[in-house]
Amino acid sequence: MKLEGRRQSSNVEDRRGMSTGAKAGIGGIGGIIIIALMTFMSGGNLGDVVNNVVQQGFQTETPAGQREFTEEEQQLATECTQILASTEDVWTKVFRENGLGEYKAPTLVLFTNSVQSACGSATAAVGPFYCSGDQKLYIDLSFFTEMKRQLGVQGNTFAYAYVIAHEIGHHVEYSLGILGKAHQQMSQVNKTQANQISVRLELLADYYAGVWAHYEDAMNHSLEYGDMEKGLELAKAIGDDWLQKNAQGYAQPESFTHGTSEQRKRWLKRGFDTGDMRTTTFSVSNYDDL
């Protein structure tokens, strides 16, 4: 993905180097990746690890203060702010052209190790996440370094962009009233049904990531050969079934919260191919047909 010469968003809070100990929540595209990596290394059960994270949180103690950032970290920070700027341009255009009102862009918060948000405190172990309580996207850049090492996406900016665009997709859901309605529904049903609603939200965020890529490329001709394929490879690698099978040898569909590899690939690609804002995962009446 070509970003040379592109503007950087000003909707950024750089809190790197200012972290303190925190208790984590769980959320976002990154959480399930990091949990899976922890499980692979420990030989544990993925469901047990997830339950432990949700119920108890991670505890980390990190010193406050400033530090020097490496050239790689600074480059990642620049790319993140350029990708954020792209989402601002694209979603402003899409909202306007589809009569969806004014698009109010979220803020990107860069942090180190742990951070406080309106949704609670969290560590880097959660991965990138979006908090609707303050309409901010939170990223510890070490996530991308770990993603490169563990998932083999080094050198492909579009893979990073997909992660950011997915979290921005949750902001789009919030802006359209979809996120709040879904969370209300989740509080009124059993765990399996709530998980199914969560899957719809996550697949819709994947779809919106694809819609962003559709218009980003149309506006700037920025996608290069193999970019979408890398994005689809990443979508496959973070499917619930793929992660569970690699972690524990089998999948538990009733526990899925993000969707299968094939679902994630399909909805990301559909968004990219169509750019159609009339499509939503919540219009698919049969959950098994997603």
Side-chain angles (χ1 to χ4, degrees), residues 223-235:
L223 268 63
E224 300 177 286
Y225 179 79
D227 276 349
M228 180 51 64
E229 286 70 21
K230 276 294 183 183
L232 294 172
E233 286 178 19
L234 179 55

Side-chain angles (χ1 to χ4, degrees), residues 19-39:
S19 300
T20 58
K23 187 173 182 179
I26 187 72
I29 196 174
I32 195 166
I33 300 175
I34 299 300
I35 290 170
L37 296 179
M38 290 169 57
T39 308

Side-chain angles (χ1 to χ4, degrees), residues 120-153:
S121 52
T123 68
V126 240
F129 68 96
Y130 170 75
C131 174
S132 60
D134 53 21
Q135 290 134 69
K136 293 180 179 180
L137 164 65
Y138 293 83
I139 295 177
D140 183 321
L141 295 175
S142 65
F143 170 80
F144 292 117
T145 302
E146 190 69 12
M147 193 174 79
K148 287 193 298 182
R149 186 172 70 85
Q150 295 287 347
L151 300 179
V153 295

Side-chain angles (χ1 to χ4, degrees), residues 20-266:
T20 58
K23 187 173 182 179
I26 187 72
I29 196 174
I32 195 166
I33 300 175
I34 299 300
I35 290 170
L37 296 179
M38 290 169 57
T39 308
F40 297 158
M41 291 185 285
S42 66
N45 179 278
L46 183 64
D48 292 342
V49 176
V50 172
N51 289 335
N52 184 61
V53 171
V54 173
Q55 294 170 10
Q56 299 179 22
F58 293 104
Q59 289 290 345
T60 62
E61 293 297 330
T62 56
Q66 300 294 329
R67 66 178 179 84
E68 294 294 324
F69 302 112
T70 66
E71 184 177 344
E72 179 185 23
E73 287 174 317
Q74 291 297 76
Q75 179 61 31
L76 281 172
T78 296
E79 290 178 354
C80 284
T81 59
Q82 289 175 316
I83 293 164
L84 183 66
S86 167
T87 66
E88 293 166 353
D89 295 341
V90 166
W91 287 113
T92 296
K93 172 184 173 67
V94 170
F95 269 50
R96 183 178 63 247
E97 292 182 350
N98 287 272
L100 300 175
E102 179 186 1
Y103 176 70
K104 297 180 180 179
T107 297
L108 169 65
V109 178
L110 301 176
F111 70 96
T112 305
N113 296 319
S114 62
V115 70
Q116 184 68 38
S117 76
C119 296
S121 52
T123 68
V126 240
F129 68 96
Y130 170 75
C131 174
S132 60
D134 53 21
Q135 290 134 69
K136 293 180 179 180
L137 164 65
Y138 293 83
I139 295 177
D140 183 321
L141 295 175
S142 65
F143 170 80
F144 292 117
T145 302
E146 190 69 12
M147 193 174 79
K148 287 193 298 182
R149 186 172 70 85
Q150 295 287 347
L151 300 179
V153 295
Q154 59 265 30
N156 190 271
T157 305
F158 183 75
Y160 311 148
Y162 163 44
V163 172
I164 295 172
H166 172 95
E167 300 305 335
I168 295 295
H170 286 309
H171 178 68
V172 173
E173 292 172 344
Y174 168 79
S175 301
L176 297 177
I178 298 171
L179 191 63
K181 182 179 180 180
H183 284 166
Q184 183 178 23
Q185 292 174 338
M186 290 169 71
S187 69
Q188 299 170 347
V189 297
N190 63 40
K191 185 175 181 179
T192 298
Q193 292 171 320
N195 286 344
Q196 292 177 350
I197 296 172
S198 175
V199 168
R200 289 179 185 270
L201 282 173
E202 296 299 332
L203 294 180
L204 184 57
D206 281 338
Y207 179 80
Y208 286 152
V211 171
W212 161 76
H214 173 95
Y215 287 99
E216 159 60 27
D217 192 47
M219 292 163 63
N220 299 297
H221 307 290
S222 56
L223 268 63
E224 300 177 286
Y225 179 79
D227 276 349
M228 180 51 64
E229 286 70 21
K230 276 294 183 183
L232 294 172
E233 286 178 19
L234 179 55
K236 175 183 178 180
I238 56 179
D240 286 324
D241 57 337
W242 191 95
L243 289 169
Q244 289 188 5
K245 287 176 182 177
N246 279 274
Q248 60 194 25
Y250 60 92
Q252 298 172 287
E254 70 278 2
S255 70
F256 291 173
T257 58
H258 285 65
T260 67
S261 294
E262 287 305 312
Q263 286 174 324
R264 301 201 72 164
K265 288 170 57 180
R266 180 163 63 250

